[in-house]
Amino acid sequence: QKEVEQDPGPLSVPEGAIVSLNCTYSNSAFQYFMWYRQYSRKGPELLMYTYSSGNKEDGRFTAQVDKSSKYISLFIRDSQPSDSATYLCAMRSGGYNKLIFGAGTRLAVHP
Amino acid sequence: EAGVVQSPRYKIIEKKQPVAFWCNPISGHNTLYWYLQNLGQGPELLIRYENEEAVDDSQLPKDRFSAERLKGVDSTLKIQPAELGDSAVYLCASSSTGGYSYNEQFFGPGTRLTVL
């Protein structure tokens, strides 16, 4: 079993929809939770990160972490065709520890 | 500000041939990472440098892979000899050092390697 599980999709939604992307994990030592976005033929770019449990909002994006359930989510409001990409969750424990990535969920937002 | 630069972008070689990838990180970033990304998977760390020192290379297959970061700036990742299973995208990333900086890694576009 992988440390981080993520549904690969693809997920297809109409423009303007609310998108929910999720990851589950097994390592209770994880403290930092990241969401990266990767466009085709590009490297990943950080969208946002959260420390421990709770919510964090940045524009149309909201990240949620539920450590008791070992479950994290990314919500995208008013989705746009430009949001079409692969979304990777990543997490690590404290101090330095390498990022453990999920497999990524492919999202397509159609006009 | 220039991002992480990688070259070449694409490489096709025959098995058993050597191959090298080059990375120039963002100016001022002391931490440099090499990742392997297989199709449909997330990146997996191969090696991390803090300045010139390789501080985490536990995932690097040392029988055929080697890396160096001379002068603490550019880095080169080499495979010799390449195998069919090495076909993947090799990503370089850089970040500032310490604390929350490790969460924000800046990735290059990657080198897509095909081994025939």
Side-chain angles (χ1 to χ4, degrees):
Chain A
Q1 184 185 7
K2 293 183 179 180
E3 277 189 287
V4 179
E5 298 279 359
Q6 184 174 12
D7 188 332
L11 185 61
S12 182
V13 301
E15 184 175 356
I18 296 174
V19 176
S20 172
L21 305 166
N22 312 293
C23 289
T24 59
Y25 63 95
S26 57
N27 189 343
S28 57
F30 288 145
Q31 295 184 29
Y32 297 95
F33 303 90
M34 279 66 71
W35 286 96
Y36 280 77
R37 178 175 62 195
Q38 186 173 24
Y39 290 113
S40 181
R41 308 282 175 165
K42 302 286 188 183
E45 58 176 334
L46 180 69
L47 281 174
M48 53 202 309
Y49 75 84
T50 309
Y51 173 69
S52 195
S53 285
N55 294 359
K56 186 173 184 179
E57 188 173 320
D58 184 0
R60 296 185 296 110
F61 298 89
T62 299
Q64 287 186 354
V65 175
D66 182 348
K67 291 192 73 178
S68 62
S69 302
K70 297 189 177 68
Y71 188 87
I72 71 171
S73 301
L74 178 71
F75 297 95
I76 307 174
R77 290 183 298 281
D78 187 24
S79 56
Q80 302 295 309
S82 58
D83 295 328
S84 299
T86 296
Y87 290 80
L88 297 154
C89 63
M91 44 199 82
R92 68 176 182 94
S93 55
Y96 167 75
N97 222 319
K98 65 182 182 181
L99 295 187
I100 306 297
F101 283 86
T105 299
R106 270 179 39 193
L107 171 67
V109 181
H110 51 86
Chain B
E1 177 183 273
V4 176
V5 179
Q6 289 189 249
S7 69
R9 290 294 313 277
Y10 304 91
K11 189 74 176 178
I12 300 174
I13 61 171
E14 300 209 339
K15 63 181 181 181
K16 301 186 181 179
Q17 294 299 304
V19 64
F21 315 123
W22 175 81
C23 174
N24 178 245
I26 290 174
S27 177
H29 281 183
N30 294 329
T31 305
L32 183 145
Y33 315 78
W34 282 102
Y35 286 89
L36 167 71
Q37 187 173 25
N38 286 305
L39 187 64
Q41 299 297 317
E44 298 175 37
L45 182 70
L46 290 172
I47 189 168
R48 173 175 70 98
Y49 282 93
E50 297 285 358
N51 298 301
E52 302 90 355
E53 184 181 2
V55 295
D56 184 356
D57 63 356
S58 58
Q59 302 303 309
L60 190 72
K62 298 182 183 62
D63 56 338
R64 297 184 300 108
F65 286 66
S66 64
E68 61 182 10
R69 191 183 185 198
L70 300 176
K71 301 180 181 178
V73 181
D74 295 358
S75 178
T76 302
L77 178 69
K78 298 178 182 177
I79 309 175
Q80 183 171 7
E83 297 179 352
L84 295 176
D86 296 332
S87 295
V89 176
Y90 292 82
L91 293 164
C92 178
S94 69
S95 74
S96 298
T97 299
Y100 299 143
S101 297
Y102 295 126
N103 298 333
E104 187 169 21
Q105 299 182 18
F106 294 82
F107 285 81
T111 296
R112 185 174 297 270
L113 174 67
T114 302
V115 182
L116 302 176

